[in-house]
Amino acid sequence: MIPERTQRVAVTIFLVTVCMSLLDVSMVKIALPAIQDTLHLSPTAATLVLAGPSLASGLALIPAGRLGDVFGRRRCSSSACGCSRSLPSPAPRTQRHRAGDRRLIHGLAGGLLAPQTMG
């Protein structure tokens, strides 16, 4: 039997993780006009700012679930948090490309994190 305090901590971590993923998507939708003006994005590029991280997250879900089974959920969760904050952009690029790269990395990290908290 798992102690009640441990169960409460686990549920809290689960809820915070899910809420942060939803908050990330919501913040970008609200801030999209400002992002579009600042980076001088076309409407197509602005759509990719919204769709890119969701696509990356969706593509990462199934492999991330398997990685969690093989390597352990705790290890995969901590690596997801670490990769979303510490990985730099892949190459020296413009500010516009770096912003897109970081959004994709955050989407991948969210896709890696979701199965670990729900599984």
Side-chain angles (χ1 to χ4, degrees):
M1 182 81 183
I2 300 173
E4 185 177 339
R5 177 172 159 72
T6 304
Q7 290 177 352
R8 286 184 185 181
V9 169
V11 168
T12 302
I13 290 171
F14 167 74
L15 290 174
V16 167
T17 302
V18 171
C19 288
M20 290 304 291
S21 295
L22 293 173
L23 183 65
D24 185 40
V25 173
S26 300
M27 286 188 317
V28 172
K29 285 182 183 177
I30 292 170
L32 189 60
I35 293 170
Q36 191 173 2
D37 290 342
T38 303
L39 298 177
H40 309 292
L41 299 176
S42 67
T44 305
T47 302
L48 289 174
V49 168
L50 286 176
S54 299
L55 179 64
S57 178
L59 289 173
L61 286 175
I62 293 175
R66 181 66 181 138
L67 287 172
D69 292 341
V70 172
F71 296 110
R73 299 193 188 286
R74 184 175 294 172
R75 184 180 297 169
C76 286
S77 295
S78 61
S79 66
C81 292
C83 90
S84 71
R85 298 293 176 223
S86 63
L87 285 179
S89 294
R93 298 163 62 138
T94 65
Q95 181 182 3
R96 179 186 308 179
H97 290 115
R98 271 183 279 180
D101 293 345
R102 291 188 192 285
R103 295 282 308 146
L104 289 176
I105 290 170
H106 281 197
L108 284 172
L112 183 61
L113 191 60
Q116 312 318 319
T117 57
M118 294 183 193

